[in-house]
Amino acid sequence: MVPTEILVRGTEAVEAFNDALAEGETEVNQGRTVFTGLERVGKTSTIKSFLRNTFDPYEGITDAIANTMVCTHESHNELNWKETSPDHSGANDMYEAIMADSMAKRILKKESEKNVEVTGQSESPSAKKERKYNQGQSSSNVDARNLKIESDTKEQTQAQSIEEVPETIATKVQERIKELKFTKGDATQELQKSGKDFIMSIWDFGGQPIYHVIQRIFMVSFAVVCVVFNLEDDLDAPAKVRDPTTGDIYEHRMTNLEFILYWIRSVYTNSRDSKLEDGQPSPPVLVIGTHLGSLEGNEEEKKRKAEEIFNKIRKALEGKPYESMVSSFFAIENSLPFARSNASNIMNQILKFAKQMVRKLPLKWLRVQQEIQKLKVKNIYLPTNEVIALLEQCRVKQGAQRVLLEYLHDLGEILYFPDDDALKDIIVLDLMKIVDMFKTIITIIEPKLRKPKHRKAWRRLDSGILEEHLLRHLWKEFNFSDKTFDFFVSLMQKFGLVCERKVH
């Protein structure tokens, strides 16, 4: 099935995608879950509950956005989620695992064909004994690093498109050969399995209203969205929010119920119109009420009160265009042990939807994602022509290059604006880093940045005016050229974080 992000780009994009798919494809076991809601409602604690981490009643506030990468870890226990580093997972590990699996199967297939050929000939007992010995040696000790691979067929392209295999993949080839050779059961069936973990990226959106405009960058159809609120809060009362600059708490003009509807409407507004296999509009929304244990009454009475609250939200959703996006309601108590917290039911629902989002992608596209992950370690951004050169190095055809970059943009992996003259020459690779850049201006002011010579500019910033020399001072560590500085200012304008002040 062609991903929605490709379909909406038109016929040419679909043709380019299918053409790339024909050169080699793979199933990508990746998912994304987004947590959104006001601050202090328990989003981070719910994520920690998924990982069986100790509950912290004094959990700090998430500022802007936090990202946690987890994998299902065990096929027989898919709720055993383990946190893993984003630098050593995702496309990188997936690409290497696919390469190793494909190469190992080719090696074993060739070996099997050779053995069948030898077996069909007459041989002495001593020769037969020597063949069996060599057969066992070749499977486990083959030097995968010296394996030369051509790329003139689909199967060979799926194995690798470079001349010499990297040592990290060579090691995995050795391991995969052993797994395939010595796994009990139907060997033919086992050769079809790759044994990949399901990788889940969890985005924890800070609840401060000032960051909502940034968060829409990460709001994509390829995700499960969890809208979180505190069951203790009166739905009809004004929501209490914190001023990010002073830390003061004040009553917002919107009620707690209106904020819940606002989050769901934001999902609807900032994502593509698509459906999952079971007909559920995507992205599916789970509404999660926390602090169940703080409601009055016994366990049954607490559950009944939570259901009454959920019914009020359902009533408010009636007739709204985004009503069908809401799939399920859950009440959770994060301070309880995992087995009693209700976290497992939420995780099961997330996995159910995430697995419907598993898709086939061109193998070369996955390799590009792998290379971009590597580049993020040292580069917040790169000139567009350098990224295009990377695509050419990965043998992505010219007609598919823009389609691939726009696809990665739609997934929230990069920022790419080819039709905006002020932004088209640079591609942002590390979105979390630009969130940090914006935080420096909006909420996180390091004391060391408060230089006396900028005091007047700081006071003007407090009144809503950002002067250029102060912004250059705040971004001094990035050592931007004038062109790059202008790019990021234009990017802030694109997101509505700043606007040009007209002086008459």
Side-chain angles (χ1 to χ4, degrees), residues 355-371:
K355 287 186 175 181
Q356 291 186 57
M357 298 177 193
V358 169
R359 58 188 66 188
K360 290 188 182 297
L361 283 182
L363 191 57
K364 290 178 181 178
W365 288 25
L366 188 63
R367 186 183 172 198
V368 169
Q369 282 187 262
Q370 177 206 32
E371 295 300 327

Side-chain angles (χ1 to χ4, degrees), residues 258-269:
E258 287 171 335
F259 257 112
I260 293 171
L261 299 180
Y262 165 77
W263 302 121
I264 301 171
R265 185 171 65 249
S266 295
V267 176
Y268 174 78
T269 304

Side-chain angles (χ1 to χ4, degrees), residues 182-194:
F182 297 111
T183 299
K184 295 179 181 179
D186 188 338
T188 304
Q189 192 177 47
E190 180 60 29
L191 282 173
Q192 304 303 316
K193 299 177 182 177
S194 297

Side-chain angles (χ1 to χ4, degrees), residues 449-467:
L449 296 174
R450 292 269 187 179
K451 302 293 184 183
K453 66 178 180 179
H454 297 298
R455 281 174 183 165
K456 184 178 179 180
W458 280 117
R459 287 195 295 270
R460 289 173 67 81
L461 180 61
D462 289 339
S463 63
I465 300 173
L466 175 61
E467 296 188 0

